[in-house]
Amino acid sequence: VVSNYAGTTMEPKRAGCRIQGCHCEVIDTPGLHCLSIHSAEELSIRDLIFSERPDVIVQCVDANQLKQSLTLTADLVGLGVPMVVSLNAIDETARKGIWIDSEELSRILGIPVIETIATQGRGISDLKKAIAHPQVSTLKLQYPEPIENTILELTALMTKPDTYARKMASLLAMGDPFIEQQVIAIEGEQSVSKMRARIANLHLQYKGNVAAAIGAVRSRWVDEVAGTVIKHQKVHQGQFAEAFGHLCLHPVFGIPILFFFLALTYFLVVYVAGALQENLNLYLAQPVTGWIASLIPAGFFHELIVGADYGLLTLGLFNAVCTVLPILSVFFLMFGALEDMGYVPSLCVLTKRIFDRIGLNGNAAMSVVLGFGCKTMATLTTVGLPRKEQLIAVYLISAYVPCSAKMAMSMGVLGRYTFWALIFTYGIVFTMAVLSGLIMNRFLPDMTSGFFVQELPVIRWPNPRAVIVKTYYRLYWFFKEALPVFLGAALVMFFMHRTGLLGVIEVALQPLVVGGLGMPLDTVEAMILCLARPEAAAGFLIKMADSGNLNVAQSILAVLLTTMFVPCLASTVAMCKRLGWGMGFIMVGAMCLSAGVVLVLVHWILLLFVG
């Protein structure tokens, strides 16, 4: 899964393939800016490079950001590992009148530099050939004499042969806080003690910041290389993408653009997905259910498999395939197009002022926005944030940010009525998120807050093939994980109904559900399904809405319940792992309490104004 913004890849992915007749394991890692570590995520990537000892490193460079990428290139070639550079998106630089001399860049680096347009598959065959015959760079940056001498001394103290020796020595000289443990694991404590003495002497002799001096040498080299290989031409080109990107960030025009995308998504989910649902039910679910029903005599197994309420086919399989699948397909296509366009970081910047108010001044803002894709992955991105920002971000993601699947299903439920029902519902969710953030920002102890640094990508037209492939994988992963849950939930509901346990639970919750919230008693079943999988509950609610068992006010309450109630199991586990199990359980309790209070208040507001 790829998107047009940084941070899409959250953890290393592995796959096997054959390149030029050789079996290879390809490891796709999250991005790095350099090997000098500034966060826990970057440390994990560097640890992987140092521990896995790859045979070949392929650096994927965005041609639009070549100068920024050369800093990492300088670090990677210093490892002494065979390398290839993939210079990607050269079609975009050409349209901007920017020409990059890849042959000269290859000569300077001493490694193959392959021009590619990955979205079109151009240059991939040349890249494979280069990977089969990589080269070790002969480039060696020279630092000021005291630093260079110390690096040589540290390298000499490393008794075990290591291709990374010079890079490790330079990181030690810079005072990298994490590299020492890796050197101890290789060389032992005694050797590292001698290295510490050499480093201490360097800091006494060298007047100036060692890390800054090394960084200055690297920056001068980057400037020289960029000035040599990057040429600008005067061309006439369309400015629509650039102008649209600025409008998306504008505090006035950005809001209408956001509402346009929301309205377009709503239209597609309600009308296009709605038409797909009708046809799947008409031409798939009803004929298959009727045919199987005719084969099974009335009784236990008939009710178990094709029962109208809790059958494995009706509530399980066809609820997933005919109700949930069309909505998720359409929504994932739209969301994937926005990702490929590069709109998501613009949304993050657009809402920066609100994030500032609730104490999310740094990269936590991006984590919250990523929650609209997947809560679990968004929660994992909060690692390395200051504790206060991490607590606020994780709570908001878990309690109030609807993931793509939840948002799609919410549109499917409320789309049975009116667009304004959706606006009203998510207006309440937004208000609660802001209030919760303000309260947590006010009462949580002050801690060091991060700076807001957001890399804005170039706005691009979505690539249809990439969007379709991404949607396919997301649907595949959804059904691989969710379909057994749908079937299992249907089986549990069936036996709860047969044993009378469901009736007992409904009687116990009737004062809250019917009296307190004004919901039909069948909503208890949706609440039980929500614990297993929110999408299963949403599919059940859509059927209730279609059959007339939910009015618009009750549908609003039902969507608020599935949105603000306890998140899915994967998200809950990720939250507990990130914050600790004790804090995780406290947050789960807070979510349940706040959701109950909000639902009761909204019920009485709707009762007063809607009836």
Side-chain angles (χ1 to χ4, degrees):
V1 172
V2 296
S3 301
N4 182 22
Y5 54 85
T8 303
T9 304
M10 301 312 306
E11 56 186 11
K13 304 289 185 182
R14 299 170 184 260
C17 69
R18 296 193 70 83
I19 297 178
Q20 300 291 301
C22 178
H23 178 74
C24 303
E25 181 187 37
V26 179
I27 306 175
D28 176 30
T29 72
L32 271 178
H33 291 96
C34 62
L35 292 182
S36 303
I37 300 307
H38 300 91
S39 68
E41 299 101 315
E42 292 179 334
L43 177 61
S44 65
I45 302 167
R46 191 182 71 180
D47 285 347
L48 185 145
I49 295 173
F50 278 33
S51 61
E52 295 273 352
R53 304 291 167 131
D55 299 303
V56 184
I57 292 178
V58 181
Q59 184 188 3
C60 302
V61 175
D62 183 351
N64 296 283
Q65 308 286 338
L66 175 60
K67 188 173 180 179
Q68 293 88 326
S69 300
L70 284 173
T71 301
L72 177 60
T73 307
D75 278 349
L76 292 177
V77 297
L79 294 174
V81 176
M83 270 190 68
V84 177
V85 169
S86 170
L87 189 62
N88 194 36
I90 57 170
D91 53 330
E92 291 185 351
T93 57
R95 285 195 295 269
K96 295 177 181 178
I98 300 173
W99 177 68
I100 299 175
D101 189 344
S102 58
E103 292 184 1
E104 178 64 14
L105 181 60
S106 176
R107 187 194 66 78
I108 294 172
L109 297 177
I111 56 177
V113 176
I114 309 300
E115 296 183 355
T116 58
I117 306 175
T119 56
Q120 302 174 20
R122 295 173 62 179
I124 303 302
S125 59
D126 293 334
L127 181 61
K128 290 180 180 179
K129 292 176 183 177
I131 292 173
H133 303 90
Q135 298 176 22
V136 177
S137 175
T138 55
L139 177 69
K140 181 180 177 182
L141 298 183
Q142 290 293 323
Y143 303 117
E145 186 175 350
I147 298 176
E148 192 67 40
N149 290 337
T150 301
I151 290 176
L152 292 174
E153 290 175 3
L154 295 176
T155 305
L157 288 172
M158 296 182 185
T159 56
K160 297 180 180 178
D162 196 314
T163 56
Y164 294 177
R166 178 175 172 82
K167 175 52 63 178
M168 287 182 172
S170 63
L171 290 172
L172 284 169
M174 293 173 67
D176 186 288
F178 305 105
I179 194 65
E180 190 175 284
Q181 293 301 319
Q182 290 182 321
V183 179
I184 290 174
I186 298 172
E187 298 292 334
E189 180 66 38
Q190 187 174 0
S191 295
V192 172
S193 297
K194 297 178 182 178
M195 295 179 193
R196 291 194 193 108
R198 300 292 195 281
I199 296 169
N201 288 335
L202 171 66
H203 286 274
L204 288 174
Q205 297 173 5
Y206 188 78
K207 296 181 179 180
N209 188 305
V210 176
I214 292 177
V217 171
R218 194 168 50 189
S219 296
R220 284 195 298 271
W221 177 83
V222 168
D223 290 338
E224 291 173 2
V225 174
T228 302
V229 303
I230 299 176
K231 309 296 181 183
H232 294 270
Q233 300 169 316
K234 292 183 179 180
V235 296
H236 295 285
Q237 57 175 334
Q239 300 293 326
F240 173 78
E242 184 177 351
F244 182 74
H246 287 302
L247 289 176
C248 290
L249 302 173
H250 197 277
V252 175
F253 299 110
I255 300 299
I257 292 174
L258 173 60
F259 274 96
F260 167 76
F261 285 132
L262 180 62
L264 178 60
T265 306
Y266 175 86
F267 173 83
L268 293 174
V269 168
V270 172
Y271 295 102
V272 177
L276 290 173
Q277 284 178 327
E278 291 180 5
N279 283 283
L280 284 173
N281 278 312
L282 182 62
Y283 296 109
L284 177 63
Q286 293 178 12
V288 172
T289 303
W291 175 68
I292 294 178
S294 66
L295 299 177
I296 304 175
F300 178 85
F301 289 103
H302 185 282
E303 187 178 350
L304 172 64
I305 297 174
V306 293
D309 294 322
Y310 312 111
L312 291 175
L313 288 182
T314 50
L315 182 60
L317 179 62
F318 288 134
N319 184 28
V321 173
C322 299
T323 303
V324 176
L325 175 62
I327 293 175
L328 290 185
S329 300
V330 172
F331 187 90
F332 284 161
L333 282 171
M334 182 64 191
F335 191 75
L338 292 179
E339 286 181 322
D340 261 30
M341 186 185 296
Y343 178 72
V344 174
S346 300
L347 178 61
C348 179
V349 175
L350 182 65
T351 54
K352 178 182 180 297
R353 291 188 178 182
I354 297 174
F355 286 130
D356 286 342
R357 294 283 185 181
I358 59 178
L360 300 181
N361 303 318
N363 294 325
M366 189 61 182
S367 296
V368 173
V369 172
L370 289 176
F372 289 100
C374 174
K375 289 189 177 189
T376 304
M377 297 309 298
T379 301
L380 295 177
T381 64
T382 61
V383 64
L385 292 176
R387 182 63 173 177
K388 180 177 180 178
E389 284 193 49
Q390 188 181 52
L391 290 171
I392 297 174
V394 170
Y395 184 79
L396 295 185
I397 291 168
S398 300
Y400 301 115
V401 176
C403 66
S404 55
K406 279 188 179 180
M407 184 177 289
M409 299 311 298
S410 299
M411 289 183 177
V413 174
L414 298 175
R416 267 62 182 167
Y417 305 100
T418 173
F419 179 70
W420 296 108
L422 181 70
I423 297 298
F424 175 78
T425 303
Y426 280 114
I428 293 171
V429 175
F430 176 77
T431 302
M432 283 301 303
V434 172
L435 287 175
S436 299
L438 289 172
I439 293 171
M440 294 181 74
N441 188 35
R442 173 68 177 82
F443 291 103
L444 286 177
D446 289 330
M447 302 174 189
T448 303
S449 185
F451 293 101
F452 182 81
V453 180
Q454 177 60 56
E455 181 180 340
L456 292 176
V458 177
I459 294 294
R460 298 183 172 110
W461 288 108
N463 182 278
R465 180 180 177 275
V467 174
I468 291 172
V469 169
K470 179 162 50 176
T471 300
Y472 163 78
Y473 277 111
R474 280 177 168 161
L475 291 174
Y476 170 76
W477 292 328
F478 170 79
F479 274 99
K480 183 179 179 181
E481 178 183 340
L483 190 57
V485 177
F486 273 70
L487 295 172
L491 189 64
V492 170
M493 295 294 292
F494 172 78
F495 281 106
M496 288 177 66
H497 172 69
R498 294 281 295 191
T499 59
L501 179 59
L502 181 60
V504 174
I505 296 175
E506 287 178 340
V507 170
L509 294 179
Q510 183 172 0
L512 172 63
V513 175
V514 180
L517 301 178
M519 301 284 287
L521 193 57
D522 288 346
T523 309
V524 174
E525 299 170 29
M527 293 173 66
I528 296 173
L529 290 172
C530 190
L531 294 175
R533 189 83 190 187
E535 295 87 346
F540 185 82
L541 292 171
I542 288 175
K543 289 187 175 183
M544 290 178 64
D546 288 339
S547 62
N549 291 333
L550 285 179
N551 58 35
V552 61
Q554 292 168 334
S555 295
I556 289 172
L557 291 171
V559 169
L560 287 174
L561 174 67
T562 55
T563 301
M564 298 171 59
F565 201 49
V566 180
C568 67
L569 181 61
S571 180
T572 303
V573 171
M575 175 178 64
C576 292
K577 284 185 176 180
R578 187 60 67 229
L579 301 179
W581 291 95
M583 180 58 69
F585 285 127
I586 291 174
M587 285 200 170
V588 167
M591 289 176 209
C592 295
L593 179 61
S594 63
V597 172
V598 170
L599 286 169
V600 172
L601 289 175
V602 173
H603 163 60
W604 287 105
I605 291 172
L606 291 172
L607 195 63
L608 181 63
F609 291 100
V610 180

